[in-house]
Amino acid sequence: MTDAETDAETFAELRPLLFGLAYRMLSSVAEAEDVVQEAFLRYRRARAEGAAVASPKAYLSAVVTRLAIDELRSARARRETYSGQWLPEPLLTDEGAGDPAVLTEQADSLSMAFLLLLERLTPAERAVFLLHDVFGYGYDEVAEIVGRSESNCRQIALRARRHVEGGKPRFEASRRERDELAARFFAAAGDGDVDGLVGLLAQDVVVVGDGGGKAPQWGRPIVGADRVARLFVNLGRRMARLGATFEPRQVNGQPGAIARAPDGRIVNVLTIEISGGAIQAIRSVINPDKLGHIGPVADAWALLREERDAG
């Protein structure tokens, strides 16, 4: 086997791990892909220059983590001027997603609720917490990756854990139960069944939308079972007038859906957070910049004008 073939095999084996780490660090599919690709290029360059890499996993994990920390710092500066609510880029995690890099046993740590909790952490805290608590690296390995002492990493992890644990989502229902409840939700929305929807929603359910100023979006979170039920009944009617549809999918390890225009292009992606037998939160990403990795994206403004004209 040539060096190139060996490197390609190494990359194929480690890519799911590296992508999973980068995505959880950055909450962006495109940025995670870029970081992983750059890490592999650096690995190949180091090997070509005669560097002895005893552990490709350790080497690549370190490069991905350091690149992600740098990217996260600049990304946070950009988010300070972000228009409206900011949400992570949605990631399809069902069997139809196609890419094994996004299929992971640690689905709960991919949820939007969890990724939003990670936003409370500094880049270094985020890296240490993810490496140790999510991916199972020992503190000695984490210390080597982030360039800190082992005792310092333990302190950082403890601090990060305190920030995260209090709000960590608890998905006690099985995946089948969550999918069934989500299916009932979309069916009730399509049928215009306000009472049926209210019965599926927690009293303090919240809906958050992310349009990034580039698509129609709700200006602020919408809270309360009755308001959310009426919102989705109205949305279901408007989609029916257009011929748009909901395609149930697993998004970030949780039940969700892709809203598709009549021509099949993506309008937005929804994720549903379920706990205690009820829907606790619904998050909608309609910012086209965050949807292109899934497929062709519709012009939501044009669809809105078309729906108004039809009405």
Side-chain angles (χ1 to χ4, degrees):
M1 185 179 291
T2 65
D3 286 348
E5 290 172 333
T6 300
D7 290 345
E9 187 176 276
T10 297
F11 184 61
E13 178 185 345
L14 293 177
R15 184 179 178 277
L17 167 68
L18 300 173
F19 177 85
L21 173 59
Y23 176 74
R24 287 172 177 84
M25 282 289 294
L26 299 168
S27 297
S28 166
V29 175
E31 291 172 2
E33 293 281 13
D34 288 346
V35 161
V36 171
Q37 191 63 34
E38 175 62 23
F40 183 61
L41 290 174
R42 293 190 184 191
Y43 170 76
R44 289 195 65 181
R45 191 181 309 128
R47 291 249 297 159
E49 293 172 354
V53 180
S55 169
K57 177 184 174 184
Y59 181 94
L60 286 163
S61 296
V63 176
V64 164
T65 299
R66 291 163 190 168
L67 288 172
I69 287 173
D70 290 342
E71 181 63 33
L72 186 57
R73 285 172 177 150
S74 61
R76 287 190 165 182
R78 294 194 299 271
R79 287 173 199 167
E80 290 178 1
T81 59
Y82 195 81
S83 176
Q85 302 288 319
W86 178 90
L87 292 173
E89 283 187 14
L91 183 69
L92 300 184
T93 49
D94 51 26
E95 293 180 0
D99 187 343
V102 304
L103 304 176
T104 174
E105 296 177 357
Q106 302 153 318
D108 286 356
S109 68
L110 280 173
S111 72
M112 288 219 175
F114 185 78
L115 294 177
L116 288 169
L117 275 177
L118 294 179
E119 290 295 307
R120 301 178 182 181
L121 308 180
T122 67
E125 287 173 342
R126 194 161 178 162
V128 171
F129 176 79
L130 286 171
L131 287 166
H132 182 268
D133 284 38
V134 175
F135 289 97
Y137 287 73
Y139 281 116
D140 56 336
E141 297 173 294
V142 175
E144 186 71 24
I145 289 171
V146 300
R148 308 277 186 111
S149 69
E150 188 172 334
S151 61
N152 186 222
C153 287
R154 289 180 183 275
Q155 292 171 349
I156 291 172
L158 179 62
R159 188 165 61 245
R161 208 171 292 123
R162 286 171 177 164
H163 283 300
V164 170
E165 285 300 325
K168 190 174 181 181
R170 292 172 174 80
F171 305 110
E172 66 274 3
S174 69
R175 179 165 296 172
R176 179 182 58 80
E177 291 169 331
R178 282 182 261 166
D179 288 344
E180 287 177 356
L181 198 154
R184 289 165 57 198
F185 169 81
F186 288 114
D191 293 341
D193 184 0
V194 173
D195 291 339
L197 279 174
V198 169
L200 301 174
L201 302 170
Q203 284 304 303
D204 58 351
V205 62
V206 60
V207 174
V208 178
D210 176 351
K214 300 184 178 183
Q217 65 188 54
W218 301 299
R220 62 186 63 186
I222 299 162
V223 181
D226 188 68
R227 292 182 67 199
V228 170
R230 295 184 186 282
L231 170 74
F232 274 90
V233 164
N234 182 51
L235 179 62
R237 289 173 182 154
R238 298 171 73 177
M239 290 182 65
R241 280 199 294 269
L242 277 173
T245 56
F246 281 122
E247 174 190 316
R249 297 295 296 268
Q250 186 185 106
V251 183
N252 287 78
Q254 305 301 317
I258 298 174
R260 292 193 181 273
D263 63 2
R265 289 179 299 165
I266 298 165
V267 179
N268 69 317
V269 173
L270 297 164
T271 64
I272 296 178
E273 181 183 327
I274 296 169
S275 182
I279 294 171
Q280 305 288 334
I282 302 167
R283 297 179 176 88
S284 166
V285 178
I286 197 171
N287 181 345
D289 293 346
K290 296 186 176 185
L291 301 174
H293 62 282
I294 298 175
V297 181
D299 182 341
W301 287 115
L303 289 172
L304 183 61
R305 290 192 294 271
E306 182 180 338
E307 187 271 329
R308 286 174 176 168
D309 291 343

